[in-house]
Amino acid sequence: MLIDLKPLVGTPQVNELLAYAVIDDPEALERTSAEYREQAAMQLCGWEEDGLLVGLTGYEETEDGSLDIRHIAVLPENRGKGYARGMILELVTSRQPRYLVAETEDEIAADFYRSLGFMVYSLGENAAGIEMFRCVYEVEETEDEE
């Protein structure tokens, strides 16, 4: 189950995980932490296992009913155990968005999203010459919503 990490932004435990998502750049970490603290639409949730925060995901709720995944990270020693997948599935269940959207420059991350049923599109290269990907998952409507 996801827990709200917004009140814990800036703590060592949250900073450690968020640093993995912003490539351990102290300036980017501070900017990202400030966004989560200051912007109401930005949410930060975590996954605990046996009292240990093993992963987090940050997202922005948009007016069109989608969730833009901004960050996702799992402690290195807990990767490959399904935590990232669990966080994504829990977001779909708990938030019931129309779409989940993520952008990444990491081909491994693009493959991860693809494995969850996201459609992955190339956005071309960024200014640094690195290929960017847009990953989109359309959430199927349940019979209750129809």
Side-chain angles (χ1 to χ4, degrees), residues 8-135:
L8 302 175
V9 170
T11 64
Q13 197 176 25
V14 171
N15 279 354
E16 177 185 4
L17 275 164
L18 203 49
Y20 292 119
V22 296
I23 312 172
D24 206 14
D25 173 355
E27 289 179 13
L29 177 60
E30 185 50 44
R31 280 192 310 274
T32 301
S33 292
E35 286 179 347
Y36 284 112
R37 278 192 304 270
E38 297 165 9
Q39 296 181 24
M42 297 284 290
Q43 302 299 316
L44 190 64
C45 298
W47 192 277
E48 279 188 332
E49 189 73 33
D50 298 325
L52 174 68
L53 183 63
V54 296
L56 63 70
T57 184
Y59 60 93
E60 181 176 10
E61 296 183 83
T62 64
E63 291 182 16
D64 71 354
S66 68
L67 294 182
D68 290 349
I69 299 169
R70 296 297 184 93
H71 302 97
I72 190 163
V74 174
L75 291 173
E77 61 272 18
N78 288 291
R79 293 180 185 160
K81 296 180 180 178
Y83 292 117
R85 178 180 302 272
M87 287 187 290
I88 297 290
L89 295 175
E90 183 71 23
L91 280 178
V92 169
T93 303
S94 65
R95 306 303 305 162
Q96 300 180 341
R98 291 180 56 210
Y99 298 94
L100 287 172
V101 179
E103 289 188 5
T104 184
E105 62 186 37
D106 185 334
E107 288 188 45
I108 294 170
D111 287 340
F112 163 73
Y113 288 115
R114 192 177 284 115
S115 77
L116 290 173
F118 282 69
M119 298 299 298
V120 178
Y121 307 94
S122 174
L123 296 174
E125 294 182 351
N126 64 14
I130 299 170
E131 186 175 15
M132 297 293 298
F133 301 95
R134 181 174 177 85
C135 310

